[in-house]
Structure formats: C-alpha cells, structure tokens
Amino acid sequence: MTKPVTVLAALAAVAYAAVGILSITVWEPMAAMPGLSHDEIVAGIAAGGESHSAGATAAVVCLAPGAIAAVALAALAIAGRMRPLTATVWILGIVALGPIAYFWAGFPMGMAVADAFLIGGASRTPVPYALAAVSALAVALVVILCVADARGRLRAAAPVTE
C-alpha cells in the first residue's frame, strides 16, 4: 500500500462528505419542491416555522467529522506515523459508515422541508443510493486489502523449505 492510495481514499471521504452536505442542503430540498428556487425554499421553510440553518448545521456536524478524520489519518500516513495500509483501511471504514451519518445528517432538513411544505420527507434524488454504493465498495475494498495484507504477512513469515 502506498501513500498516494491513502491520499486518494482521504479525497474520496472528503468528496463523500461534500456531496452529502450539498445533497441534504440544496439538491434534496429542490427535488422535493420542483419549480421553486433555493431561496424560495429557504423562505418557505422559515415561513413554516422551521429552520434551514438547523438542517444545514446538522448536515455539517454529522458529515464533516468523517472528512476531517480521513484527512488526519492520511496526514499521519504521509508523515510516517502510521502504516499507509492502516490509514487507508480506517479511512475506508469511515466511508463505509457514511450512510448512517448521511441519514442522521439529513433527517432535520428532511423534516423541515416536509413540515414546511406538507409533503413526505423521503429522498427524491439518487444521491443517497450512489453514496450507499460507494460505501459498499469501501467495505469490499477493506476486505480485499485486509486479506491481501494477511496473505502477504503469512508468506513473509513462512519458513523456507528446500
């Protein structure tokens, strides 16, 4: 495992968080209320006695820590304080847990839009499904990397017979 792979994993975690935050704060509300601008939706949420900023804050509070942790892990690997493989597996683990963070991050905004406009709070974009697919891929990569590392360690530890 190389440091550039760890950096790519960290970038994926940051992109995951950014897409999640944009989805929750902009794309989902606009998909729920087609024909309205984002400003009109924010005004409608406020008129309904709800808070767009509380939903946006929840999105950032739930999703940004994973991105920050991923960058910190990559920095540790680059500085030689952690094996790149270890950092990469931890970062992919963060991405794998993304759907849980996304659900909690999106719940306040979904409820604010649903309550303000008297609609259902379900997702209306493919973004959550795409993020879930990325998370599933992260799980598969963790398994592959761990199995490959274990096999390499076993080979290295095996006695030479001649």
Side-chain angles (χ1 to χ4, degrees):
M1 181 64 44
T2 63
K3 291 176 185 176
V5 173
T6 304
V7 171
L8 286 175
L11 289 174
V14 170
Y16 191 106
V19 167
I21 291 167
L22 279 172
S23 173
I24 291 164
T25 59
V26 179
W27 302 331
E28 288 288 346
M30 291 186 76
M33 299 306 301
L36 295 181
S37 71
H38 186 259
D39 290 337
E40 291 170 326
I41 293 169
V42 172
I45 291 171
E50 301 292 333
S51 172
H52 182 273
S53 63
T57 300
V60 172
V61 165
C62 289
L63 291 168
I68 293 166
V71 170
L73 288 164
L76 287 172
I78 290 168
R81 308 280 296 175
M82 178 182 276
R83 286 179 58 212
L85 174 66
T86 303
T88 302
V89 167
W90 275 99
I91 293 166
L92 291 173
I94 290 168
V95 173
L97 294 172
I100 297 167
Y102 183 85
F103 172 78
W104 287 108
F107 195 80
M109 183 65 76
M111 288 303 298
V113 172
D115 290 349
F117 293 100
L118 303 175
I119 60 171
S123 178
R124 290 171 173 80
T125 69
V127 173
Y129 304 107
L131 292 176
V134 170
S135 293
L137 177 62
V139 170
L141 288 172
V142 165
V143 171
I144 291 166
L145 290 173
C146 289
V147 168
D149 184 57
R151 290 184 73 199
R153 287 174 185 254
L154 286 173
R155 274 193 219 117
V160 179
T161 57
E162 291 199 35

